[in-house]
């Protein structure tokens, strides 16, 4: 299983473990590169993450994935395309490892065909290595994958939310030749920090059971992901190098 460094923390004070409101920086990139991580997952909607990663020279050491600005925020397909060009500039690279449509629902709307055609054209020109979309199970990612033939689908999946595996979604996407990148594997850090919020009681119970078995939440979370043959990579976000 590959690990992909999450880019949200470079542009936002993000996650349950980020009590200090700090953003990730150069030291995080040093540790990630030394540890063999080769990809960073960013997005136009992650504050100034793209600009921060560009200023840190991330493109010289990592393949960069970004996501389109959601159509609702952009206002039109043309504005999405223009913002994507800004992503290349912010990230200071002529080529991106992958670009994902940030909201899978954008592909189901009237602008969906134009969005996908634009990404496919950029892939054909060699400016993008792979294209895909970020989705939830409610978006019916398998049906959308059959329609669009993406290279990558990003989905939330975790020890506490095993539905992508138990529902057959992972198997179906693998059969279509789609690589799956799992996100929210630590429930935005809440599995590690036992923070308040939706599902807090269930998370606390799981943490208690893991402690009784002598297993850390991080090991259990990563172990479950690694056990899923349909998951090709997991996005993990950190705020500090020691994390």
């Amino acid at each position: 299983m590959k690990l992909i460094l999450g880019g949200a923390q470079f542009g936002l004070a993000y996650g349950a473990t980020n009590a200090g409101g700090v953003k990730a920086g150069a030291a995080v990139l040093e540790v990630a590169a030394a540890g063999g991580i080769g990809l960073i997952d960013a997005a136009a909607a992650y504050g100034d993450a793209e600009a921060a990663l560009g200023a840190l020279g991330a493109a010289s050491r990592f393949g960069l994935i970004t996501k389109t600005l959601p159509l609702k925020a952009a206002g039109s397909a043309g504005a999405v395309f223009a913002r994507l060009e800004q992503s290349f500039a912010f990230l200071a690279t002529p080529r991106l490892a992958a670009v994902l449509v940030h909201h899978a629902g954008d592909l189901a709307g009237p602008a969906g065909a134009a969005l996908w055609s634009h990404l496919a054209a950029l892939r054909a020109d060699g400016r993008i290595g792979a294209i895909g979309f970020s989705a939830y199970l409610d978006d019916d990612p398998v049906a959308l994958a059959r329609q669009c033939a993406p290279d990558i689908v990003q989905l939330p999946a975790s020890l506490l939310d095993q539905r992508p595996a138990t529902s057959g979604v992972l198997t179906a996407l693998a059969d279509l030749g789609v690589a799956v990148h799992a996100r929210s594997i630590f429930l935005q850090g809440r599995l590690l920090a036992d923070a308040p919020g939706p599902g807090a009681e269930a998370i606390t119970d799981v943490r208690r059971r893991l402690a009784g078995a002598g297993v850390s939440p991080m090991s259990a979370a990563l172990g479950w992901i690694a056990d899923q043959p349909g998951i090709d990579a997991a996005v993990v976000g950190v705020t500090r190098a020691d994390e």
Side-chain angles (χ1 to χ4, degrees):
M1 178 192 67
K2 296 178 181 178
L3 295 181
I4 299 172
L5 180 64
Q9 288 86 348
F10 287 86
L12 302 168
Y14 181 81
T17 63
N18 192 359
V22 298
K23 296 178 183 179
V28 169
L29 295 186
E30 293 296 332
V31 174
I37 290 177
L39 289 169
I40 299 177
D41 177 80
Y46 290 167
D48 60 356
E50 290 178 328
L53 288 165
L56 290 168
S60 66
R61 290 181 288 176
F62 301 89
L64 300 178
I65 300 170
T66 198
K67 305 182 197 72
T68 58
L69 189 65
L71 192 57
K72 184 176 181 180
S76 69
V80 174
F81 305 154
R83 181 58 182 79
L84 180 55
E85 289 303 316
Q86 287 186 317
S87 292
F88 283 95
F90 285 145
L91 290 164
T93 182
R95 185 180 187 277
L96 292 165
V99 173
L100 310 181
V101 174
H102 203 153
H103 287 183
D106 287 350
L107 294 174
L115 287 173
W116 197 252
S117 294
H118 188 78
L119 294 184
L122 291 175
R123 181 180 59 184
D125 289 343
R127 297 185 66 200
I128 298 173
I131 61 176
F133 57 82
S134 178
Y136 293 92
L137 287 187
D138 290 347
D139 294 315
D140 198 350
V142 174
L144 196 55
R146 291 188 177 119
Q147 172 189 327
C148 297
D151 303 305
I152 299 167
V153 169
Q154 191 183 100
L155 288 171
S158 70
L159 178 68
L160 272 75
D161 184 4
Q162 302 182 12
R163 291 175 299 163
T166 59
S167 66
V169 165
L170 294 181
T171 299
L173 290 172
D175 289 344
L176 292 170
V178 178
V180 172
H181 292 179
R183 69 175 188 274
S184 297
I185 69 169
F186 302 133
L187 304 177
Q188 298 179 351
R190 293 179 61 226
L191 180 60
L192 307 182
D194 201 14
E201 186 175 336
I203 293 172
T204 298
D205 179 60
V206 168
R207 285 171 56 87
R208 184 168 53 247
R209 290 162 60 191
L210 290 172
V215 179
S216 74
M218 183 177 292
S219 294
L222 290 171
W224 184 84
I225 291 289
D227 243 6
Q228 309 309 310
I231 293 178
D232 298 87
V235 180
V236 294
V238 302
T239 303
R240 304 181 308 276
D242 61 323
E243 289 182 342

